[in-house]
Amino acid sequence: MRKEASKLVYVLADMHATEAALSITEGAVSGKGHVPSEPGEAPNADTHFLDRSVHVERTGELTAQSIADAPYAAKLEFEMDRPFMRPAAKKIRKSASKLAAKGVSIIVKGGKL
């Protein structure tokens, strides 16, 4: 049961990480034609260092977190008004809740994910 729950936790964190990375690359143009994002919008990828830094780390047997470990990720998110992690969490909240409920139901009944 714990093994299946661990998988579920990882998948939910990965949903968040994927959405955050996609928000950075959506509509972005790298190189010479790059246009920075507007305040309140996710950063527009230029070098792809930021979106490639978004990933999931297991923090315990039943815990995981999605993080962006580019050196400037937190500054973009909190100081420069270019959020990407918080909007990603908001965007997936409903689908992640449904998936979590379905996954827990399967696990409690002895099933595998």
Side-chain angles (χ1 to χ4, degrees):
M1 194 181 264
R2 291 177 77 80
K3 182 179 177 183
E4 296 305 309
S6 180
K7 287 182 201 175
L8 178 60
V9 167
Y10 189 90
V11 166
L12 294 168
D14 192 53
M15 283 176 66
H16 178 247
T18 299
E19 183 59 41
L22 286 173
S23 73
I24 297 165
T25 60
E26 189 175 289
V29 176
S30 299
K32 194 174 184 177
H34 176 72
V35 177
S37 64
E38 294 293 323
E41 297 177 353
N44 282 336
D46 185 11
T47 64
H48 293 282
F49 187 73
L50 178 62
D51 57 281
R52 290 179 183 150
S53 82
V54 181
H55 63 282
V56 176
E57 289 185 4
R58 288 197 181 278
T59 54
E61 183 183 7
L62 296 173
T63 57
Q65 64 181 3
S66 52
I67 62 170
D69 59 8
Y72 49 85
K75 186 172 184 171
L76 284 167
E77 181 81 20
F78 299 109
E79 296 175 28
M80 298 180 69
D81 194 26
R82 300 300 194 279
F84 57 100
M85 297 297 273
R86 291 171 292 158
K90 186 176 181 179
K91 187 171 181 180
I92 67 152
R93 184 169 286 133
K94 192 177 284 187
S95 60
S97 292
K98 287 179 183 179
L99 178 61
K102 186 175 180 177
V104 167
S105 178
I106 290 168
I107 293 166
V108 167
K109 293 174 184 174
K112 294 187 181 262
L113 301 178

